[in-house]
Amino acid sequence: MLVDAVTSLIKNYDVTGRYLDRNALDSLKSYFQSGTTRIKLATMINGNSPDIVKNASRQLFEEVPELIRAGGNAYTTRRYSACLRDMDYYLRYASYALVAGDNAILDERVLQGLKETYNSLGVPVGPTVRGIQIMKEMIKDMAFQAGMDDVNLVDAPFDHLTRELSDISV
Ligand SMILES: CCC1=C(C)/C(=C/C2=NC(=C\c3[nH]c(/C=C4\NC(=O)[C@H](C)[C@H]4CC)c(C)c3CCC(=O)O)/C(CCC(=O)O)=C2C)NC1=O
């Protein structure tokens, strides 16, 4: 089921039959107040997704050149394309989670079974996580240049992907 910040909060209160209290209302307020920025960020990501994927993967392959050398996991055209496609998946689903203000969609559509798949195909998690973090930094830079006030909203979905993939704290 698709969940956003509002439905997930209401669900929690409904389970225990409570009215929304001060905490709930504060968190709803901050979600709605950040709404315009979330949509601006999603618009910016949508309009630049091919460049973000291309530039972030270029930087990743500069930092970890073994990936695209013989024997590397992104070596051969097929695997190189699979890698860029995965980056695009992370970016697109992160943009959904950003608008929703909730990471549940990432658990459900992206992370489910992913570690097992990556392990069985030898896709290295460290560089994948690095690719996700590079995209995050690029988007924050773009948002900052565009004068957006709360660029740290970008962190949550990318850091969630990173944490869940690597079991490390960000
Ligand atoms: C929407 C949710 C979703 C995700 C996330 C997803 C990921 C995903 N990535 C895969 C493969 C892959 N993923 C990579 C990615 C990389 N290799 C590297 O060295 C880099 C570190 C990295 C790119 C940053 C590669 C190279 C493969 C192909 C591996 C192979 O077939 O040998 C596969 C195996 C099947 C296939 O090749 O399509 C899946 C399921 N699929 C999905 O439906």
Side-chain angles (χ1 to χ4, degrees), residues 93-113:
Y93 280 97
S95 80
Y96 297 162
L98 193 55
V99 170
D102 192 288
N103 293 322
I105 189 167
L106 300 175
D107 296 334
E108 208 172 296
R109 301 285 162 81
V110 181
L111 292 160
Q112 191 118 271

Side-chain angles (χ1 to χ4, degrees), residues 65-105:
E66 310 84 78
L67 294 173
I68 49 173
R69 292 199 190 122
N73 189 261
Y75 178 69
T76 76
T77 317
R78 181 187 67 79
R79 289 202 299 256
Y80 184 92
S81 317
C83 179
L84 266 56
R85 179 212 56 198
D86 284 10
M87 296 272 280
D88 189 59
Y89 283 150
Y90 298 131
L91 183 60
R92 179 162 58 89
Y93 280 97
S95 80
Y96 297 162
L98 193 55
V99 170
D102 192 288
N103 293 322
I105 189 167

Side-chain angles (χ1 to χ4, degrees), residues 3 36 41 70 85 94 148 155 163:
V3 177
T36 312
L41 287 165
R85 179 212 56 198
M148 286 186 216
D155 290 340
R163 258 191 318 268

Side-chain angles (χ1 to χ4, degrees), residues 109-129:
R109 301 285 162 81
V110 181
L111 292 160
Q112 191 118 271
L114 184 61
K115 261 201 266 194
E116 292 74 11
T117 304
Y118 272 13
N119 283 340
S120 71
L121 293 171
V123 178
V125 168
T128 300
V129 159

